[in-house]
Structure formats: C-alpha cells, structure tokens
Amino acid sequence: MSNVHEKVALITGGARGIGLGIARELASAGWSLMLNGVRPKAEIIEVLNELASHGTNIDYCSADIGNSDDRVRLIKSVEQRFGRLDALINNAGITSPGRKDILEADEDAWDQVFDINLKGPFFLTQLAANFMRKESATQARRSIIFVSSISAEFVSVNRGDYCITKHGLGMATKLWAVRLAEFGIDVYEVRPGVIRSDMTSAVTEKYDTLIAQGLTHDRRWGEPADVGRAVRVLVQNEIPYATGQVLKIDGGMTIHEL
C-alpha cells in the first residue's frame, strides 16, 4: 500500500486518447494513478513508465467496465494497491459500432454502447462512492468526473445510441452530485468537443474542413491535454462550490450565433 497522504485517482480508459491526456496532467501534478482499460498490462508498459517518470505511483487494472464483476474487481484493486480513492474519472467509452442510421440500428450494438458508456460509469460510481464515504470525514474533498461529449447536445442520427448515453451522463452527474454532497464528494460533467484521439482519427479530414469553416470559434482541434487540464483543476478543488455543473471543453462549438 502506498503513502496514505498521496492523492489517488482512478481513470477509466486512461491509457490512450483523452484518458491519457488526463493521466499525464494528474501525474505531473503529483497524483498517484490507477489506470483502467481492456488491453493487457504488457501492451501499455511504455505508457506506465512515462507516467511513473513524474515520480508518483502508477498502476493498471485491465477490466471491462461494462461487466459487473470487472467493476467490483477494479475498485478492489484500487483499495488493495492504494487504500484510498480521491477522484474517479469516468472516461472510458466507445462509439456506435458500425455507425448505423437509427432506422437500421440493432439491439446488440445498443446494449454494448449502453453497457460501457452509461451503465458501467453509473455503477462504477456507486462502488467508488461507497468506498470513498467509508473514509475519514476529515479528509479533503473528493470528486467524481463524468467525461461525456458534445454529442449530449448535437444530434448524430448514425450514432443514436452514443448520443443518448452521453446525454444520460449529464443526468447521472446531477443525481450523484445531489446524493454525494453530504459526504464531501463533488461530481462534475466534463463535456469535450472535437478532440484529437483514436476515436476521431477516422474523421480527421472531415473535421479539418469543418473547423476551418468555423465549426469551433477557437479554430483548432481540441487536444487530450485540454481536457486533462480541466479535469486537474476540478479534482484539485480549484473550482469550489460548483458540484453538479458541466464544464465544456469545446472551443466555443456550442455557442450559437444569429
């Protein structure tokens, strides 16, 4: 078990894309991390070594957050390795398999997206919150972050399941913010826009053009580090008295002009 005074964060989907951007920011700020993903640990050793170079404790647990048993095992791994949890960042997610029009969408794909993007984060939060609230009441405030997407607001008829799950995370944020306030656990939604990552690599040309045409007011791609900095500020309680709120990291994309 690690030093009891260190801050510990669990980041799902933390070894690539936005999750890795968050991990880099927190590691550089001195946080110890438990990363989660579905790949074997052997495949991400370089990532773990990079993060550990900041002089903090880094570990990894391969687990599918869409699976109940895996969620339990993931939280137990945090408890056994660190003995505490100061922040949960629900970042893991998948896009809609096949990106089918909603007229052609199938239930198997729907269930897969909902299990990973909505049910998984909701029940992982339940487990994490019950672990957190057992800790000393004198401990500094803790936090839970739901990383959603501007697809919570923008309609994509070929990704209906994805859009609905991201919208659902917004309500999950409010529900958990209300329920956990008495335990000193703040809950936030971070809503990224067009972020350069594995998930968007297939549509790079499309968004290069749209951004140049003014899709975002800050005319550039968002980077994982942009989201990482936002999460770091939230988990370090640098924006107090704001539980339940949404922080948009979208370059002004959701600002509407007449």
Short mmCIF file of all heavy atoms in Angstrom, two decimals, residues 210-245:
data_model
loop_
_atom_site.label_atom_id
_atom_site.label_comp_id
_atom_site.label_asym_id
_atom_site.label_seq_id
_atom_site.Cartn_x
_atom_site.Cartn_y
_atom_site.Cartn_z
N LEU A 210 -14.31 21.28 -41.44
CA LEU A 210 -15.36 21.95 -40.66
C LEU A 210 -14.78 22.98 -39.70
O LEU A 210 -15.34 24.08 -39.53
CB LEU A 210 -16.16 20.90 -39.89
CG LEU A 210 -17.07 20.00 -40.72
CD1 LEU A 210 -17.67 18.89 -39.85
CD2 LEU A 210 -18.18 20.81 -41.39
N ILE A 211 -13.66 22.66 -39.08
CA ILE A 211 -13.03 23.61 -38.17
C ILE A 211 -12.55 24.84 -38.93
O ILE A 211 -12.72 25.98 -38.48
CB ILE A 211 -11.88 22.94 -37.40
CG1 ILE A 211 -12.45 21.92 -36.41
CG2 ILE A 211 -11.03 23.98 -36.66
CD1 ILE A 211 -11.42 21.00 -35.79
N ALA A 212 -11.96 24.63 -40.10
CA ALA A 212 -11.52 25.75 -40.93
C ALA A 212 -12.69 26.63 -41.35
O ALA A 212 -12.54 27.85 -41.54
CB ALA A 212 -10.79 25.23 -42.17
N GLN A 213 -13.87 26.03 -41.46
CA GLN A 213 -15.07 26.76 -41.87
C GLN A 213 -15.79 27.43 -40.70
O GLN A 213 -16.78 28.11 -40.89
CB GLN A 213 -16.03 25.83 -42.59
CG GLN A 213 -15.52 25.34 -43.95
CD GLN A 213 -16.41 24.27 -44.56
OE1 GLN A 213 -17.29 23.72 -43.90
NE2 GLN A 213 -16.19 23.99 -45.84
N GLY A 214 -15.28 27.22 -39.48
CA GLY A 214 -15.86 27.90 -38.32
C GLY A 214 -16.71 27.05 -37.42
O GLY A 214 -17.51 27.58 -36.63
N LEU A 215 -16.55 25.73 -37.48
CA LEU A 215 -17.29 24.85 -36.58
C LEU A 215 -17.04 25.22 -35.12
O LEU A 215 -17.96 25.23 -34.30
CB LEU A 215 -16.90 23.39 -36.82
CG LEU A 215 -17.53 22.35 -35.89
CD1 LEU A 215 -19.03 22.23 -36.18
CD2 LEU A 215 -16.86 20.98 -36.04
N THR A 216 -15.79 25.54 -34.81
CA THR A 216 -15.43 26.00 -33.47
C THR A 216 -14.96 27.44 -33.56
O THR A 216 -14.38 27.85 -34.57
CB THR A 216 -14.30 25.13 -32.89
OG1 THR A 216 -13.18 25.15 -33.78
CG2 THR A 216 -14.77 23.69 -32.71
N HIS A 217 -15.20 28.21 -32.50
CA HIS A 217 -14.74 29.60 -32.52
C HIS A 217 -13.23 29.68 -32.33
O HIS A 217 -12.57 30.55 -32.89
CB HIS A 217 -15.50 30.39 -31.46
CG HIS A 217 -16.96 30.52 -31.76
ND1 HIS A 217 -17.46 31.39 -32.71
CD2 HIS A 217 -18.03 29.84 -31.27
CE1 HIS A 217 -18.77 31.26 -32.78
NE2 HIS A 217 -19.14 30.33 -31.93
N ASP A 218 -12.69 28.79 -31.52
CA ASP A 218 -11.25 28.61 -31.43
C ASP A 218 -10.91 27.60 -32.54
O ASP A 218 -11.14 26.41 -32.38
CB ASP A 218 -10.87 28.06 -30.05
CG ASP A 218 -9.37 28.03 -29.82
OD1 ASP A 218 -8.62 28.23 -30.80
OD2 ASP A 218 -8.95 27.78 -28.68
N ARG A 219 -10.40 28.08 -33.64
CA ARG A 219 -10.32 27.26 -34.85
C ARG A 219 -9.12 26.32 -34.84
O ARG A 219 -8.14 26.48 -35.57
CB ARG A 219 -10.32 28.15 -36.10
CG ARG A 219 -11.63 28.89 -36.25
CD ARG A 219 -11.81 29.49 -37.63
NE ARG A 219 -13.08 30.20 -37.71
CZ ARG A 219 -13.57 30.74 -38.82
NH1 ARG A 219 -12.89 30.63 -39.95
NH2 ARG A 219 -14.72 31.37 -38.82
N ARG A 220 -9.23 25.33 -33.99
CA ARG A 220 -8.24 24.26 -33.93
C ARG A 220 -8.91 23.03 -33.34
O ARG A 220 -9.99 23.10 -32.76
CB ARG A 220 -7.05 24.66 -33.06
CG ARG A 220 -7.39 24.83 -31.57
CD ARG A 220 -6.13 25.05 -30.77
NE ARG A 220 -6.37 25.29 -29.36
CZ ARG A 220 -6.49 24.33 -28.42
NH1 ARG A 220 -6.40 23.04 -28.77
NH2 ARG A 220 -6.69 24.64 -27.16
N TRP A 221 -8.25 21.90 -33.51
CA TRP A 221 -8.67 20.68 -32.83
C TRP A 221 -8.44 20.84 -31.32
O TRP A 221 -7.47 21.46 -30.88
CB TRP A 221 -7.84 19.50 -33.31
CG TRP A 221 -8.27 18.90 -34.60
CD1 TRP A 221 -8.00 19.35 -35.86
CD2 TRP A 221 -9.02 17.69 -34.77
NE1 TRP A 221 -8.55 18.51 -36.80
CE2 TRP A 221 -9.18 17.48 -36.16
CE3 TRP A 221 -9.59 16.77 -33.87
CZ2 TRP A 221 -9.87 16.38 -36.68
CZ3 TRP A 221 -10.28 15.68 -34.39
CH2 TRP A 221 -10.42 15.50 -35.78
N GLY A 222 -9.31 20.27 -30.55
CA GLY A 222 -9.02 20.11 -29.13
C GLY A 222 -8.01 18.98 -28.96
O GLY A 222 -7.97 18.04 -29.75
N GLU A 223 -7.20 19.07 -27.92
CA GLU A 223 -6.21 18.05 -27.64
C GLU A 223 -6.54 17.37 -26.31
O GLU A 223 -7.15 17.98 -25.42
CB GLU A 223 -4.81 18.66 -27.57
CG GLU A 223 -4.36 19.37 -28.84
CD GLU A 223 -4.16 18.42 -30.02
OE1 GLU A 223 -4.00 17.20 -29.78
OE2 GLU A 223 -4.14 18.90 -31.17
N PRO A 224 -6.13 16.12 -26.14
CA PRO A 224 -6.37 15.45 -24.85
C PRO A 224 -5.86 16.25 -23.66
O PRO A 224 -6.49 16.23 -22.59
CB PRO A 224 -5.60 14.13 -25.00
CG PRO A 224 -5.67 13.84 -26.48
CD PRO A 224 -5.54 15.19 -27.14
N ALA A 225 -4.78 16.99 -23.84
CA ALA A 225 -4.25 17.80 -22.75
C ALA A 225 -5.21 18.90 -22.34
O ALA A 225 -5.23 19.32 -21.17
CB ALA A 225 -2.90 18.41 -23.14
N ASP A 226 -6.02 19.40 -23.27
CA ASP A 226 -7.01 20.43 -22.94
C ASP A 226 -8.03 19.88 -21.94
O ASP A 226 -8.39 20.54 -20.97
CB ASP A 226 -7.74 20.90 -24.20
CG ASP A 226 -6.83 21.60 -25.19
OD1 ASP A 226 -5.94 22.36 -24.75
OD2 ASP A 226 -7.01 21.40 -26.40
N VAL A 227 -8.48 18.67 -22.18
CA VAL A 227 -9.41 18.02 -21.26
C VAL A 227 -8.70 17.68 -19.96
O VAL A 227 -9.25 17.84 -18.86
CB VAL A 227 -10.03 16.76 -21.89
CG1 VAL A 227 -11.07 16.15 -20.95
CG2 VAL A 227 -10.67 17.09 -23.24
N GLY A 228 -7.45 17.22 -20.07
CA GLY A 228 -6.69 16.87 -18.88
C GLY A 228 -6.53 18.02 -17.92
O GLY A 228 -6.67 17.87 -16.70
N ARG A 229 -6.26 19.21 -18.45
CA ARG A 229 -6.10 20.38 -17.58
C ARG A 229 -7.39 20.73 -16.88
O ARG A 229 -7.40 21.11 -15.70
CB ARG A 229 -5.59 21.57 -18.40
CG ARG A 229 -4.18 21.38 -18.93
CD ARG A 229 -3.66 22.63 -19.63
NE ARG A 229 -2.40 22.36 -20.30
CZ ARG A 229 -2.26 22.21 -21.61
NH1 ARG A 229 -3.31 22.31 -22.42
NH2 ARG A 229 -1.07 21.95 -22.14
N ALA A 230 -8.50 20.60 -17.60
CA ALA A 230 -9.80 20.89 -16.99
C ALA A 230 -10.09 19.93 -15.86
O ALA A 230 -10.55 20.34 -14.78
CB ALA A 230 -10.89 20.80 -18.07
N VAL A 231 -9.82 18.66 -16.06
CA VAL A 231 -10.06 17.66 -15.02
C VAL A 231 -9.15 17.92 -13.82
O VAL A 231 -9.58 17.82 -12.66
CB VAL A 231 -9.87 16.24 -15.57
CG1 VAL A 231 -9.86 15.21 -14.45
CG2 VAL A 231 -10.96 15.91 -16.59
N ARG A 232 -7.90 18.25 -14.09
CA ARG A 232 -6.97 18.52 -12.98
C ARG A 232 -7.49 19.65 -12.10
O ARG A 232 -7.46 19.55 -10.85
CB ARG A 232 -5.58 18.88 -13.52
CG ARG A 232 -4.60 19.29 -12.43
CD ARG A 232 -3.22 19.62 -12.98
NE ARG A 232 -3.24 20.59 -14.05
CZ ARG A 232 -3.39 21.91 -13.89
NH1 ARG A 232 -3.55 22.40 -12.66
NH2 ARG A 232 -3.39 22.71 -14.92
N VAL A 233 -7.96 20.71 -12.70
CA VAL A 233 -8.49 21.83 -11.94
C VAL A 233 -9.67 21.40 -11.07
O VAL A 233 -9.79 21.79 -9.91
CB VAL A 233 -8.91 22.97 -12.90
CG1 VAL A 233 -9.79 23.99 -12.20
CG2 VAL A 233 -7.69 23.66 -13.49
N LEU A 234 -10.54 20.57 -11.61
CA LEU A 234 -11.72 20.13 -10.87
C LEU A 234 -11.35 19.21 -9.70
O LEU A 234 -11.83 19.40 -8.59
CB LEU A 234 -12.70 19.42 -11.80
CG LEU A 234 -13.41 20.30 -12.84
CD1 LEU A 234 -14.21 19.44 -13.80
CD2 LEU A 234 -14.31 21.32 -12.17
N VAL A 235 -10.50 18.22 -9.96
CA VAL A 235 -10.20 17.25 -8.89
C VAL A 235 -9.33 17.87 -7.80
O VAL A 235 -9.31 17.37 -6.67
CB VAL A 235 -9.54 15.96 -9.44
CG1 VAL A 235 -10.45 15.28 -10.45
CG2 VAL A 235 -8.17 16.24 -10.03
N GLN A 236 -8.65 18.96 -8.11
CA GLN A 236 -7.85 19.64 -7.08
C GLN A 236 -8.66 20.73 -6.37
O GLN A 236 -8.10 21.54 -5.63
CB GLN A 236 -6.56 20.19 -7.69
CG GLN A 236 -5.67 19.08 -8.21
CD GLN A 236 -4.24 19.50 -8.50
OE1 GLN A 236 -3.34 18.68 -8.46
NE2 GLN A 236 -4.00 20.77 -8.78
N ASN A 237 -9.96 20.72 -6.61
CA ASN A 237 -10.89 21.62 -5.92
C ASN A 237 -10.54 23.09 -6.14
O ASN A 237 -10.71 23.94 -5.26
CB ASN A 237 -10.92 21.31 -4.42
CG ASN A 237 -12.13 21.91 -3.72
OD1 ASN A 237 -13.21 22.01 -4.32
ND2 ASN A 237 -11.96 22.32 -2.49
N GLU A 238 -10.10 23.40 -7.37
CA GLU A 238 -9.77 24.78 -7.69
C GLU A 238 -10.99 25.54 -8.21
O GLU A 238 -10.91 26.75 -8.45
CB GLU A 238 -8.63 24.81 -8.71
CG GLU A 238 -7.33 24.28 -8.13
CD GLU A 238 -6.20 24.24 -9.15
OE1 GLU A 238 -6.30 24.92 -10.18
OE2 GLU A 238 -5.22 23.51 -8.90
N ILE A 239 -12.10 24.83 -8.39
CA ILE A 239 -13.37 25.50 -8.70
C ILE A 239 -14.38 25.01 -7.66
O ILE A 239 -15.21 24.15 -7.92
CB ILE A 239 -13.86 25.19 -10.12
CG1 ILE A 239 -12.78 25.50 -11.16
CG2 ILE A 239 -15.13 25.99 -10.44
CD1 ILE A 239 -13.19 25.23 -12.59
N PRO A 240 -14.30 25.53 -6.44
CA PRO A 240 -15.18 25.04 -5.37
C PRO A 240 -16.61 25.54 -5.53
O PRO A 240 -16.88 26.44 -6.35
CB PRO A 240 -14.53 25.62 -4.11
CG PRO A 240 -13.86 26.87 -4.59
CD PRO A 240 -13.37 26.57 -5.98
N TYR A 241 -17.49 24.96 -4.77
CA TYR A 241 -18.89 25.41 -4.69
C TYR A 241 -19.59 25.31 -6.05
O TYR A 241 -20.40 26.15 -6.43
CB TYR A 241 -18.95 26.85 -4.18
CG TYR A 241 -20.24 27.21 -3.46
CD1 TYR A 241 -20.69 26.46 -2.39
CD2 TYR A 241 -20.98 28.31 -3.87
CE1 TYR A 241 -21.87 26.79 -1.74
CE2 TYR A 241 -22.15 28.66 -3.22
CZ TYR A 241 -22.60 27.89 -2.15
OH TYR A 241 -23.77 28.22 -1.52
N ALA A 242 -19.28 24.23 -6.79
CA ALA A 242 -19.83 24.11 -8.14
C ALA A 242 -20.26 22.69 -8.47
O ALA A 242 -20.38 22.33 -9.64
CB ALA A 242 -18.80 24.59 -9.16
N THR A 243 -20.50 21.86 -7.45
CA THR A 243 -20.83 20.47 -7.73
C THR A 243 -22.07 20.35 -8.61
O THR A 243 -22.99 21.16 -8.53
CB THR A 243 -21.03 19.68 -6.41
OG1 THR A 243 -21.12 18.29 -6.71
CG2 THR A 243 -22.29 20.11 -5.67
N GLY A 244 -22.05 19.35 -9.48
CA GLY A 244 -23.16 19.10 -10.38
C GLY A 244 -23.12 19.85 -11.69
O GLY A 244 -24.00 19.68 -12.54
N GLN A 245 -22.08 20.66 -11.88
CA GLN A 245 -22.04 21.52 -13.06
C GLN A 245 -21.32 20.86 -14.23
O GLN A 245 -20.60 19.88 -14.09
CB GLN A 245 -21.35 22.84 -12.71
CG GLN A 245 -22.08 23.62 -11.63
CD GLN A 245 -23.55 23.84 -11.96
OE1 GLN A 245 -23.89 24.38 -13.00
NE2 GLN A 245 -24.43 23.39 -11.07
#
